[in-house]
Amino acid sequence: MSVKGSNTTCSGLDWNIMLGLLSQLKKEKKFRDYLLISIGCHLGIRASDLLSLKWQDVLGKDQLILREKKTGKERVFSIHPRCKEGINYVWNHQPRNKHIGLNKHIFINKKGTKISLQYINKRLKDVFAEYKIKTDN
């Protein structure tokens, strides 16, 4: 845990290791983890911006237009074909409930509310440990 206001660093994830991890997560139907890593790595956006994404922002789109939470700047991101395929796959294969819809956030908990940055950090740490992926942090 870092002290509030301090600088923290994180190591990169080797591209081939990331692709292997995505393959495993997809196969095991861990859809939220799969999309979290896929969209985050392919688009290179901050976790806080990932949390604001709704299905209608990315489903069937070639580009994502996003106002960054941290900087307030509007940016256009090209959605990699592999990422698009993954988004479509999850949309078509995830279990449906009242919390899933085009105008709903992608990254939600069981109650249908957005997950937190703390949850993302903990979940990524758990996923990396489970799949024995070494990181510097």
Side-chain angles (χ1 to χ4, degrees), residues 46-49 51 69 115-122:
R46 291 181 179 90
S48 59
D49 294 325
L51 292 178
K69 192 173 185 177
I115 60 175
S116 67
L117 284 173
Q118 292 81 5
Y119 178 83
I120 287 177
N121 288 328
K122 181 180 181 332

mmCIF file of all heavy atoms in Angstrom, residues 46-49 51 69 115-122:
data_model
loop_
_atom_site.group_PDB
_atom_site.id
_atom_site.type_symbol
_atom_site.label_atom_id
_atom_site.label_comp_id
_atom_site.label_asym_id
_atom_site.label_seq_id
_atom_site.Cartn_x
_atom_site.Cartn_y
_atom_site.Cartn_z
ATOM 1 N N ARG A 46 -6.138 4.537 -18.576
ATOM 2 C CA ARG A 46 -6.046 4.434 -17.117
ATOM 3 C C ARG A 46 -7.216 3.625 -16.566
ATOM 4 O O ARG A 46 -8.308 3.608 -17.127
ATOM 5 C CB ARG A 46 -6.080 5.823 -16.499
ATOM 6 C CG ARG A 46 -4.858 6.646 -16.776
ATOM 7 C CD ARG A 46 -4.975 8.017 -16.099
ATOM 8 N NE ARG A 46 -3.792 8.790 -16.353
ATOM 9 C CZ ARG A 46 -3.631 9.599 -17.402
ATOM 10 N NH1 ARG A 46 -4.606 9.726 -18.291
ATOM 11 N NH2 ARG A 46 -2.516 10.272 -17.559
ATOM 12 N N ALA A 47 -6.970 3.009 -15.422
ATOM 13 C CA ALA A 47 -8.006 2.209 -14.762
ATOM 14 C C ALA A 47 -9.238 3.059 -14.453
ATOM 15 O O ALA A 47 -10.370 2.595 -14.598
ATOM 16 C CB ALA A 47 -7.457 1.573 -13.487
ATOM 17 N N SER A 48 -9.037 4.309 -14.059
ATOM 18 C CA SER A 48 -10.187 5.169 -13.757
ATOM 19 C C SER A 48 -11.050 5.393 -14.995
ATOM 20 O O SER A 48 -12.277 5.507 -14.894
ATOM 21 C CB SER A 48 -9.723 6.513 -13.185
ATOM 22 O OG SER A 48 -8.868 7.174 -14.104
ATOM 23 N N ASP A 49 -10.423 5.416 -16.172
ATOM 24 C CA ASP A 49 -11.180 5.571 -17.416
ATOM 25 C C ASP A 49 -11.837 4.260 -17.826
ATOM 26 O O ASP A 49 -12.934 4.265 -18.395
ATOM 27 C CB ASP A 49 -10.278 6.098 -18.535
ATOM 28 C CG ASP A 49 -9.786 7.517 -18.247
ATOM 29 O OD1 ASP A 49 -10.557 8.293 -17.656
ATOM 30 O OD2 ASP A 49 -8.638 7.825 -18.597
ATOM 31 N N LEU A 51 -13.171 2.200 -15.810
ATOM 32 C CA LEU A 51 -14.372 2.076 -14.984
ATOM 33 C C LEU A 51 -15.559 2.859 -15.549
ATOM 34 O O LEU A 51 -16.707 2.521 -15.269
ATOM 35 C CB LEU A 51 -14.091 2.543 -13.553
ATOM 36 C CG LEU A 51 -13.137 1.671 -12.760
ATOM 37 C CD1 LEU A 51 -12.897 2.264 -11.379
ATOM 38 C CD2 LEU A 51 -13.668 0.258 -12.652
ATOM 39 N N LYS A 69 -10.585 11.066 -17.362
ATOM 40 C CA LYS A 69 -10.960 11.536 -16.029
ATOM 41 C C LYS A 69 -9.847 12.380 -15.408
ATOM 42 O O LYS A 69 -10.107 13.427 -14.826
ATOM 43 C CB LYS A 69 -11.281 10.331 -15.143
ATOM 44 C CG LYS A 69 -11.936 10.663 -13.851
ATOM 45 C CD LYS A 69 -12.371 9.395 -13.137
ATOM 46 C CE LYS A 69 -13.138 9.743 -11.883
ATOM 47 N NZ LYS A 69 -13.636 8.562 -11.201
ATOM 48 N N ILE A 115 -17.286 -1.263 -10.200
ATOM 49 C CA ILE A 115 -16.252 -1.718 -9.278
ATOM 50 C C ILE A 115 -15.314 -0.544 -8.988
ATOM 51 O O ILE A 115 -15.323 0.460 -9.704
ATOM 52 C CB ILE A 115 -15.487 -2.937 -9.826
ATOM 53 C CG1 ILE A 115 -14.802 -2.611 -11.153
ATOM 54 C CG2 ILE A 115 -16.405 -4.139 -9.966
ATOM 55 C CD1 ILE A 115 -13.933 -3.733 -11.701
ATOM 56 N N SER A 116 -14.499 -0.667 -7.960
ATOM 57 C CA SER A 116 -13.605 0.418 -7.549
ATOM 58 C C SER A 116 -12.189 0.204 -8.067
ATOM 59 O O SER A 116 -11.813 -0.908 -8.462
ATOM 60 C CB SER A 116 -13.579 0.507 -6.025
ATOM 61 O OG SER A 116 -12.956 -0.647 -5.488
ATOM 62 N N LEU A 117 -11.399 1.265 -8.027
ATOM 63 C CA LEU A 117 -9.990 1.161 -8.388
ATOM 64 C C LEU A 117 -9.265 0.197 -7.451
ATOM 65 O O LEU A 117 -8.401 -0.562 -7.886
ATOM 66 C CB LEU A 117 -9.311 2.533 -8.321
ATOM 67 C CG LEU A 117 -9.616 3.485 -9.458
ATOM 68 C CD1 LEU A 117 -9.015 4.854 -9.185
ATOM 69 C CD2 LEU A 117 -9.088 2.938 -10.766
ATOM 70 N N GLN A 118 -9.639 0.225 -6.180
ATOM 71 C CA GLN A 118 -9.023 -0.683 -5.211
ATOM 72 C C GLN A 118 -9.315 -2.130 -5.587
ATOM 73 O O GLN A 118 -8.449 -2.998 -5.488
ATOM 74 C CB GLN A 118 -9.523 -0.400 -3.790
ATOM 75 C CG GLN A 118 -9.080 0.925 -3.227
ATOM 76 C CD GLN A 118 -9.920 2.105 -3.707
ATOM 77 O OE1 GLN A 118 -10.917 1.945 -4.405
ATOM 78 N NE2 GLN A 118 -9.494 3.304 -3.344
ATOM 79 N N TYR A 119 -10.545 -2.391 -6.043
ATOM 80 C CA TYR A 119 -10.899 -3.744 -6.459
ATOM 81 C C TYR A 119 -10.065 -4.165 -7.669
ATOM 82 O O TYR A 119 -9.585 -5.289 -7.732
ATOM 83 C CB TYR A 119 -12.392 -3.860 -6.776
ATOM 84 C CG TYR A 119 -12.753 -5.242 -7.262
ATOM 85 C CD1 TYR A 119 -13.002 -6.259 -6.355
ATOM 86 C CD2 TYR A 119 -12.778 -5.554 -8.616
ATOM 87 C CE1 TYR A 119 -13.289 -7.548 -6.784
ATOM 88 C CE2 TYR A 119 -13.062 -6.828 -9.058
ATOM 89 C CZ TYR A 119 -13.313 -7.826 -8.138
ATOM 90 O OH TYR A 119 -13.579 -9.091 -8.562
ATOM 91 N N ILE A 120 -9.902 -3.264 -8.624
ATOM 92 C CA ILE A 120 -9.100 -3.575 -9.807
ATOM 93 C C ILE A 120 -7.677 -3.954 -9.390
ATOM 94 O O ILE A 120 -7.137 -4.958 -9.843
ATOM 95 C CB ILE A 120 -9.064 -2.393 -10.801
ATOM 96 C CG1 ILE A 120 -10.406 -2.249 -11.503
ATOM 97 C CG2 ILE A 120 -7.963 -2.579 -11.837
ATOM 98 C CD1 ILE A 120 -10.485 -1.067 -12.444
ATOM 99 N N ASN A 121 -7.080 -3.139 -8.546
ATOM 100 C CA ASN A 121 -5.706 -3.415 -8.113
ATOM 101 C C ASN A 121 -5.598 -4.760 -7.404
ATOM 102 O O ASN A 121 -4.688 -5.544 -7.674
ATOM 103 C CB ASN A 121 -5.198 -2.293 -7.202
ATOM 104 C CG ASN A 121 -4.934 -1.024 -7.965
ATOM 105 O OD1 ASN A 121 -4.559 -1.054 -9.129
ATOM 106 N ND2 ASN A 121 -5.146 0.098 -7.318
ATOM 107 N N LYS A 122 -6.526 -5.039 -6.512
ATOM 108 C CA LYS A 122 -6.511 -6.310 -5.792
ATOM 109 C C LYS A 122 -6.746 -7.471 -6.752
ATOM 110 O O LYS A 122 -6.077 -8.492 -6.688
ATOM 111 C CB LYS A 122 -7.563 -6.312 -4.689
ATOM 112 C CG LYS A 122 -7.570 -7.605 -3.890
ATOM 113 C CD LYS A 122 -8.606 -7.595 -2.805
ATOM 114 C CE LYS A 122 -8.643 -8.845 -1.981
ATOM 115 N NZ LYS A 122 -8.221 -10.072 -2.589
#
